[in-house]
Amino acid sequence: MNRFSYTRATAVPQAIDQHRANATAAFIAGGTNLVDLLREDVTHPAVLVDINRLPLRRIEATDAGGLKIGALVTNSALAYDDTVAARYPLLAKAILAGASAQIRNVATVGGNLLQRTRCHYFYDAGTPCNKREPGTGCPALAGVNRIHAILGASEQCIAVHPSDMCVALAALDATVHVAGSGNGTRTLPFADFHRLPGDTPHIDSNLRDDELITAIELPEEGFAAHHAYVKVRDRASYAFALVSAAVGLELDGDTIVNAHCALGGVAHKPWRDPEAEAVLRGKRLEAAVVRDFAAMLLRGAQARRDNAFKIELAARVIARAFELAAQRSFEEAAS
Ligand SMILES: Cc1cc2nc3c(=O)[nH]c(=O)nc-3n(C[C@H](O)[C@H](O)[C@H](O)COP(=O)(O)OP(=O)(O)OC[C@H]3O[C@@H](n4cnc5c(N)ncnc54)[C@H](O)[C@@H]3O)c2cc1C
């Protein structure tokens, strides 16, 4: 039996203190991932610190022209927020491509960032797993690895981050606000929040042990005019991405002024390459240019036994996402 005690916090410093008091404590928000992990015997926190009463459910404008989203805003509330739908539709679409309406109604922004991988071996407590129990091995390397990483993996772990929302947040250049003990706060650029597995695959993010996510901040640019989220999965709904792409474009006619592209389902974190994006600036948006970009973004991709298809699929998903993002303006101009 997985025994734990339960405590409830009403203020951020109190939640952090309660969490710090026990080395294996875990915050619980919507519980849609954590409760599964408890049930499957994957994680064994001695204390659950319920953060649902913290005042972190607001979505508010920032002085910089962007949006600050509290960590406890639910995925549904965020996707259907009027400002998000109008100014950050890429984020709304990515959220609505994930999970189910029931799950999105309770799943929170903070929990979405910190949801664990969907690797079969990670969830099977009867098998070794370096992410679950460091040093025990990674059966996915030579096992069933159709859903696993093609980029940024290590010989310790080839798991992927499963979130849709995070792929959009990466493309949008979001910032993560966190609070730690002693009233300390800091921000992390989204690109630095999640980690590649390296030789510490049990650590998913750069959040410190005593830290709580308090908010996500979006910059002013939301790519509302030219964006697309394309998700390819085994079922039409209620399935995690095999490959997904979030694309935001700033165009001057058919010339690319700025392009952001993040991939999901391919690595331990949303995959983005600012160097490859820089090459796009000033180029005409045409198929050959996007093909070259995809090749650059996917350079170094490594196939395992079952997932070679992801490399070609990723190139096609990128092509489709750019095509849809560009078309959007033509559709709107025609209507
Ligand atoms: C059947 C199913 C299908 C799904 N399909 C998809 C999908 O297609 N796409 C997708 O993106 N997601 C999918 N999800 C995942 C879902 O989006 C996540 O479970 C959810 O976002 C987690 O949020 P939560 O609030 O429930 O987190 P919880 O389960 O409460 O917590 C998850 C983790 O985050 C930590 N945590 C939570 N909040 C904070 C905070 N503020 N600061 C620090 N740590 C925190 C917890 O300690 C825990 O480790 C699916 C889930 C299920 C069960």
Side-chain angles (χ1 to χ4, degrees):
M1 186 186 293
N2 202 343
R3 300 180 78 88
F4 57 86
S5 62
Y6 170 88
T7 173
R8 197 185 265 159
T10 51
V12 168
Q14 181 195 18
I16 291 166
D17 285 348
Q18 288 173 347
H19 189 270
R20 215 158 52 102
N22 189 297
T24 67
F27 295 121
I28 183 161
T32 59
N33 188 216
L34 187 57
V35 172
D36 280 354
L37 294 168
L38 290 167
R39 283 200 197 112
E40 299 290 337
D41 211 18
V42 174
T43 187
H44 311 96
V47 181
L48 290 188
V49 179
D50 185 339
I51 57 173
N52 282 287
R53 299 200 178 178
L54 302 185
L56 303 173
R57 290 191 189 268
R58 285 167 63 101
I59 301 176
E60 51 200 354
T62 64
D63 292 342
L67 216 55
K68 194 167 175 191
I69 301 155
L72 287 171
V73 172
T74 65
N75 290 183
S76 296
L78 185 56
Y80 293 118
D81 178 81
D82 287 344
T83 308
V84 172
R87 289 187 48 203
Y88 304 95
L90 172 57
L91 178 58
K93 283 176 186 157
I95 292 170
L96 295 175
S100 65
Q102 291 87 345
I103 291 169
R104 292 192 299 266
N105 284 344
V106 286
T108 64
V109 166
N112 194 303
L113 263 63
L114 289 171
Q115 63 175 297
R116 308 295 312 268
T117 182
R118 292 284 157 171
C119 171
H120 323 296
Y121 300 102
F122 175 72
Y123 274 83
D124 181 353
T127 65
C129 170
N130 286 327
K131 182 177 277 300
R132 187 170 15 83
E133 262 181 84
T136 55
C138 175
L141 286 171
V144 178
N145 50 32
R146 184 170 176 275
I147 64 169
H148 289 77
I150 52 171
L151 288 160
S154 74
E155 289 308 304
Q156 299 270 320
C157 179
I158 57 171
V160 299
H161 195 270
S163 171
D164 291 293
M165 187 182 86
C166 290
V167 183
L169 291 174
L172 288 166
D173 274 340
T175 304
V176 186
H177 289 246
V178 307
S181 47
N183 289 326
T185 59
R186 65 181 179 124
T187 56
L188 289 89
F190 204 80
D192 298 339
F193 183 79
H194 295 104
R195 295 161 58 104
L196 291 178
D199 55 8
T200 52
H202 57 295
I203 307 175
D204 289 344
S205 78
N206 286 316
L207 200 66
R208 296 180 191 131
D209 283 347
D210 69 337
E211 285 179 330
L212 173 84
I213 301 171
T214 53
I216 301 292
E217 185 171 339
L218 299 177
E220 187 171 11
E221 177 59 77
F223 299 104
H226 297 287
H227 67 274
Y229 186 71
V230 175
K231 175 178 181 179
V232 175
R233 46 190 154 175
D234 281 327
R235 290 187 305 269
S237 74
Y238 208 35
F240 291 91
L242 289 167
V243 175
S244 67
V247 168
L249 300 175
E250 199 185 323
L251 297 176
D252 179 5
D254 58 3
T255 301
I256 301 169
V257 176
N258 194 12
H260 290 190
C261 174
L263 299 181
V266 297
H268 205 252
K269 59 189 280 188
W271 193 258
R272 232 186 117 181
D273 182 352
E275 225 180 282
E277 290 170 10
V279 173
L280 288 173
R281 284 186 212 127
K283 297 241 167 81
R284 275 187 56 156
L285 180 51
E286 52 193 21
V289 168
V290 177
R291 239 189 338 265
D292 289 349
F293 166 75
M296 195 169 169
L297 183 58
L298 296 168
R299 67 191 182 282
Q302 187 188 353
R304 305 280 165 174
R305 191 189 75 184
D306 305 326
N307 68 357
F309 75 96
K310 278 195 179 187
I311 300 176
E312 175 61 21
L313 181 61
R316 293 182 187 206
V317 167
I318 294 166
R320 182 69 179 140
F322 271 78
E323 195 182 355
L324 288 172
Q327 273 172 13
R328 174 154 290 275
S329 65
F330 301 130
E331 283 163 13
E332 279 160 12
S335 63

